[in-house]
């Protein structure tokens, strides 16, 4: 399947360099501040583990939370996959507690942080 990005590249490869690129859709604040997080990954029916596989470290943390019920604090440098892991944990917990949806609540310290993990603002 051709992505919008791929088709844009093809156009610019063959065309004159003086032409302006086609008008891009406006960025949301969320995508502006988190440009590496793809829109499908933060939509309500996302499945991060389908789009990218968690690495061993991320998987170990997910298992501790979801399977062992542990309280964890995970941190890391920018872009190391904390948000992606958190979305995967939230999704796995919601799946595990599907019969009691109120069992899973997600909070964040700012609206931007909530938006990044699929929360409401
Ligand atoms: N296991 C993985 N495999 C492939 N890509 C990954 C993996 N984990 C994270 N990524 C990708 O790395 C990028 C950064 O991930 P993410 O936004 O979760 O990092 P972060 O630690 O929350 O960053 P920040 O601290 O800047 O908010 C994203 O594009 C994400 O899809």
């Amino acid at each position: 399947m051709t992505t919008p990005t791929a088709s844009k590249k093809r156009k610019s490869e063959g065309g004159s360099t003086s032409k302006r690129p086609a008008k891009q859709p406006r960025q949301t604040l969320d995508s502006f501040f988190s440009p590496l997080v793809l829109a499908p990954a933060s939509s309500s029916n996302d499945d991060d583990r389908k789009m990218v596989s968690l690495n061993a470290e991320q998987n170990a943390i997910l298992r501790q939370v979801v399977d062992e019920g542990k309280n964890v604090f995970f941190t890391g440098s920018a872009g190391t996959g904390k948000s992606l892991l958190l979305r995967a944990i939230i999704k796995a917990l919601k799946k595990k507690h599907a019969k009691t949806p109120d069992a899973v609540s997600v909070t964040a310290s700012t609206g931007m942080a909530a938006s990044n993990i699929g929360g409401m603002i």
Side-chain angles (χ1 to χ4, degrees):
M1 196 168 108
T2 308
T3 63
T5 309
S7 63
K8 186 186 153 205
K9 267 185 190 167
R10 210 175 299 125
K11 274 183 195 168
S12 64
E13 281 165 8
S16 123
T17 51
S18 64
K19 277 192 176 177
R20 294 183 67 185
K23 196 172 182 184
Q24 296 295 310
R26 282 190 171 188
Q27 277 191 313
T28 61
L29 267 183
D30 192 27
S31 65
F32 179 79
F33 285 106
S34 305
L36 293 178
V37 178
L38 299 173
S42 57
S43 69
S44 57
N45 62 350
D46 64 309
D47 188 344
D48 286 344
R49 286 188 292 170
K50 265 186 194 164
M51 296 179 69
V52 292
S53 307
L54 297 182
N55 64 30
E57 196 174 10
Q58 289 169 323
N59 233 331
I61 295 169
L62 183 139
R63 298 270 70 96
Q64 284 182 34
V65 175
V66 178
D67 298 342
E68 300 168 31
K70 287 188 176 167
N71 294 315
V72 303
F73 171 80
F74 60 89
T75 187
S77 304
T80 49
K82 301 179 297 291
S83 301
L84 186 133
L85 169 60
L86 185 53
R87 288 195 297 272
I89 288 173
I90 292 165
K91 187 167 182 68
L93 285 173
K94 283 182 175 173
K95 190 175 176 185
K96 183 177 179 180
H97 298 284
K99 289 181 181 166
T100 51
D102 289 346
V104 181
S105 296
V106 183
T107 64
S109 54
T110 66
M112 187 61 73
S115 175
N116 195 31
I117 55 173
M120 294 190 301
I121 49 174

